[in-house]
Amino acid sequence: MRILGIETSCDETGIAIYDSEAGLIGHSLFSQIDLHTAYGGVVPELASRDHVRRILPLIQETLDKSGSTLSDLDAIAYTAGPGLMGALLVGTAVGRSLAYSLSIPAVGVHHMEAHLLAPMLEESVPDYPFLALLVSGGHTLLVKVVDFGVYEMLGESVDDAAGEAFDKTAKLLGLPYPGGPHLSALAEKGDSKRFRFPRPMTDRPGLDFSFSGLKTYALNTVTSESNDEQTRADIARAFVDAVVDTFVIKCRRAIEQTGIKQLVVAGGVSANTQLREGLQGLMRQVSGEVFFPKLEFCTDNGAMIAYAGYLRLQAGQKEQMQFQAKPRWSITEL
Ligand code: KG4
Ligand code: ZN
């Protein structure tokens, strides 16, 4: 079975083809970073228009890369939500109409479920049940994955998502959009001992997160200190240390609470070097195992959509003729 995956939930047009025998046989990505940089963040209307421009040439490019034609496709998977409404509608409309014209099934995929499954494209994969820490620009979720499609929410962010906190803190340190990777690089040059930021919501029971206070903490530190390069690096370091420590504390708590020692970490922020090191250290300590997607599949991509769509079709998911893009959609509703 050959399935085309289409991702257009935010600022990346991602297309891929997953083959049930051969695995991932082609993928392409167009990132809109240059388009949004001037505005310091994603402009939804510009994002939608750019998806319209890119999507068909990118589908053709991916078919060519994989040595396939449209008639080789057995199904189409597209991101149905959560995400930006206009952006989602582009992938939804193209995916559904292309599938209709080819008389093949189309399946709407949950973006966060796709992130969660991205590590399954690697050689070593976890067994169910496992824990999943999903850290993206829009969501921060700690989930117990009982089985494929069976998700119990253990904790989530009560305010900013982890990626959002990275991006906002990066912005106030004068770094370009999207700030996550830039902030991480700057933190590498920083001194861990100079500033200590709080570890939000770790002093009380529970597995929820809060990151908006860290951004304010960073802002207050920026305002009260001299604005030299080393100070900015030290602030970046304090921010990253606080985020990583918070995730380590909460993941340790989730492991103790559930007795599950396999942890999947996915979503854009799972590309973060310091976070990867922190969680690898934790899983060594508890004699557990941690699984990440490969770097290019941490951030948004079509491969995870094609793969999640494949699993959904295997599980018998069928779509009605009417369809809906869902900007807000909890993973626990699946
Ligand atoms: O999953 P993703 O591509 O899009 C959403 O579903 O939101 O995540 C994007 C987020 C952005 O906030 C970006 O700054 C962050 O992931 N990110 C990182 C790194 N790479 C991407 N944050 C920290 N360190 C990184 N290396
Ligand atoms: Zn994402």
Side-chain angles (χ1 to χ4, degrees):
M1 179 186 211
R2 223 165 248 205
I3 178 158
L4 177 79
I6 301 177
E7 156 61 32
T8 65
S9 70
C10 190
D11 58 349
E12 253 114 23
T13 319
I15 306 290
I17 298 175
Y18 181 81
D19 183 287
S20 52
E21 305 287 311
L24 190 66
I25 55 171
H27 64 97
S28 319
L29 187 86
F30 184 85
S31 167
Q32 302 177 353
I33 288 179
D34 292 345
L35 183 69
H36 301 292
T37 299
Y39 305 93
V42 178
V43 183
E45 181 58 25
L46 294 183
S48 313
R49 291 183 202 185
D50 205 57
H51 286 307
V52 171
R53 263 193 298 272
R54 308 290 170 189
I55 191 163
L56 295 179
L58 217 53
I59 290 175
Q60 188 58 55
E61 181 187 314
T62 315
L63 286 166
D64 295 345
K65 273 186 192 167
S66 68
S68 331
T69 61
L70 283 175
S71 57
D72 295 320
L73 298 177
D74 299 298
I76 297 183
Y78 57 90
T79 307
L84 302 171
M85 187 50 147
L88 288 169
L89 278 173
V90 178
T92 301
V94 170
R96 295 293 308 218
S97 36
L98 189 55
Y100 185 70
S101 72
L102 297 168
S103 298
I104 56 175
V107 57
V109 166
H110 189 287
H111 183 82
M112 297 312 290
E113 178 179 63
H115 271 305
L116 189 157
L117 296 167
M120 303 288 198
L121 290 164
E122 303 311 306
E123 284 209 341
S124 158
V125 299
D127 301 313
Y128 296 104
F130 56 85
L131 299 172
L133 177 66
L134 305 180
V135 277
S136 73
H139 298 86
T140 303
L141 313 174
L142 186 52
V143 179
K144 178 176 166 185
V145 183
V146 181
D147 204 341
F148 168 65
V150 186
Y151 308 117
E152 283 174 22
M153 190 71 73
L154 300 176
E156 57 191 316
S157 178
V158 298
D159 42 54
D160 291 353
E164 192 180 355
F166 263 94
D167 295 343
K168 287 177 175 173
T169 304
K171 200 172 183 179
L172 64 90
L173 288 172
L175 300 169
Y177 176 84
H182 298 285
L183 187 63
S184 172
L186 184 62
E188 286 294 325
K189 299 179 214 150
D191 174 5
S192 268
K193 293 183 206 73
R194 172 125 175 245
F195 304 112
R196 186 182 162 84
F197 285 13
R199 276 55 177 155
M201 293 181 75
T202 54
D203 57 349
R204 66 191 91 161
L207 294 169
D208 282 339
F209 306 94
S210 164
F211 292 111
S212 68
L214 282 182
K215 162 198 69 194
T216 314
Y217 213 88
L219 177 64
N220 292 341
T221 316
V222 167
T223 327
S224 61
E225 299 288 329
S226 62
N227 188 20
D228 58 277
E229 183 65 13
Q230 189 56 49
T231 300
R232 293 179 338 109
D234 295 342
I235 293 171
R237 180 83 234 176
F239 171 85
V240 172
D241 285 350
V243 172
V244 172
D245 243 16
T246 303
F247 280 130
V248 168
I249 293 167
K250 295 283 163 116
C251 287
R252 185 194 301 277
R253 220 178 259 179
I255 292 163
E256 284 163 4
Q257 197 174 301
T258 60
I260 298 173
K261 290 188 179 177
Q262 294 181 105
L263 174 69
V264 153
V265 189
V269 184
S270 68
N272 183 273
T273 317
Q274 295 98 340
L275 181 64
R276 284 181 171 232
E277 284 166 5
L279 292 171
Q280 274 158 346
L282 167 69
M283 297 319 279
R284 265 196 306 275
Q285 275 175 22
V286 301
S287 306
E289 234 182 315
V290 63
F291 303 84
F292 300 98
K294 66 158 71 80
L295 282 181
E296 64 181 322
F297 298 148
C298 287
T299 43
D300 293 347
N301 63 87
M304 66 182 194
I305 305 301
Y307 182 64
Y310 165 68
L311 292 186
R312 283 269 148 207
L313 282 164
Q314 290 290 97
Q317 181 167 320
K318 298 243 168 27
E319 308 265 296
Q320 308 296 319
M321 279 303 284
Q322 84 270 20
F323 59 87
Q324 204 188 0
K326 301 182 195 168
R328 297 176 77 84
W329 184 12
S330 169
I331 197 168
T332 56
E333 288 168 27
L334 291 175

